[in-house]
Amino acid sequence: MFRRTVRILAALTMAAAATLVTTVTTAAPAQADGCYTWGRTLSEGMSGEDVRQLQIRVAGYPGYNSVLALDGVFGPATRAAVVRFQQAYGLGADGIAGQQTFSRIYALQDNDCTPVNFTYAELNNCNSDWSGGAVPAATARFNALVNMWKLQAMRHALGDQRIRVTSAFRSHACNNAVGGSPSSRHLYGDAVDLGVSPHSLCRLAQQARNHGWREILGPGYPGHSDHTHVAHDPIRTWSASSCGVS
């Protein structure tokens, strides 16, 4: 907690200092942590790995019933996601990712690129090396990272209150042990089950529609009376009839 507080204060100080600069420079922003540092302002029409890194962190702001592509191309959908991110944090909402936007992201992430309120360990209580699923370990781990940034966006939209993860990545062995479907998205690392916390399961299912998941299953769907499930299934499936989600 102390480390995160120091980093947040440092990021805010950096943003405040930027407003006092009257000359244009090409220097990269100071690195806020050990994860990733952006070296240029990003706007529509640009492309590259830095754009893809930005897309990962704003993946939870695609808009209702939308999913943001993580393709490294700064198109209209990425601009709209950046605008929503900026609005969510009270920044100038111009859709251009510059120093203020990056400073906010730095304040939201840890050294391993996870958002401050979620961890890899939280999304993997099965195989710590992410092996044994339906995809290579590196892919499962990356899918979990994207899910964490979407959860971070949803957490902020819900008043920055805790979201409780009850299950996420599973190897085939772990999935079989809990009676999971042979085609479960948990095997891909891109599914998360959420339990009641400050929020009801229905509130979670309803809010999830705004944060980039194609699969949302909750109360009213068979076997989901005790959790809300969000995932990246290629086919859109929203079913939580007790919550008015379909």
Side-chain angles (χ1 to χ4, degrees), residues 67 123 130 133-148 150-151 167-170 183-193 212-216 229-235:
V67 178
L123 269 72
W130 300 86
V135 292
T139 301
R141 193 172 189 270
F142 174 77
N143 289 342
L145 176 65
V146 176
N147 254 344
M148 282 187 269
K150 294 187 177 188
L151 289 170
S167 180
F169 170 71
R170 300 174 191 157
S183 60
S184 171
R185 298 307 300 183
H186 288 281
L187 296 166
Y188 295 79
D190 66 10
V192 183
D193 291 345
W213 285 291
R214 288 192 180 95
E215 184 172 84
I216 304 171
H229 167 95
V230 293
H232 298 300
D233 194 287
I235 300 174

Side-chain angles (χ1 to χ4, degrees), residues 126-183:
C126 178
N127 283 13
S128 60
D129 63 0
W130 300 86
S131 65
V135 292
T139 301
R141 193 172 189 270
F142 174 77
N143 289 342
L145 176 65
V146 176
N147 254 344
M148 282 187 269
W149 280 102
K150 294 187 177 188
L151 289 170
Q152 185 72 31
M154 188 163 82
R155 186 184 190 278
H156 185 60
L158 291 171
D160 287 312
Q161 293 181 310
R162 180 193 177 207
I163 291 178
R164 184 167 66 93
V165 174
T166 62
S167 180
F169 170 71
R170 300 174 191 157
S171 66
H172 283 287
C174 290
N175 193 57
N176 292 339
V178 298
S181 165
S183 60

Side-chain angles (χ1 to χ4, degrees), residues 10-93:
L12 293 175
T13 300
M14 184 166 52
T19 64
L20 300 177
V21 177
T22 58
T23 60
V24 176
T25 70
T26 58
Q31 185 164 335
D33 55 32
C35 175
Y36 190 85
T37 299
W38 285 267
R40 60 174 178 163
T41 295
L42 300 177
S43 59
E44 191 169 352
M46 302 176 75
S47 62
E49 177 60 19
D50 51 359
V51 174
R52 192 180 77 94
Q53 291 292 331
L54 173 66
Q55 289 170 329
I56 291 168
R57 289 155 180 80
V58 300
Y61 293 90
Y64 182 84
N65 192 24
S66 296
V67 178
L68 182 65
L70 309 180
D71 56 5
V73 178
F74 201 127
T78 298
R79 182 185 183 280
V82 171
V83 167
R84 293 186 189 96
F85 175 87
Q86 292 168 331
Q87 290 172 333
Y89 285 97
L91 306 177

Side-chain angles (χ1 to χ4, degrees), residues 154 203-213 216 228 230 238:
M154 188 163 82
R203 185 73 183 97
L204 293 169
Q206 291 160 350
Q207 186 63 43
R209 296 176 294 182
N210 301 301
H211 298 290
W213 285 291
I216 304 171
T228 289
V230 293
W238 289 359

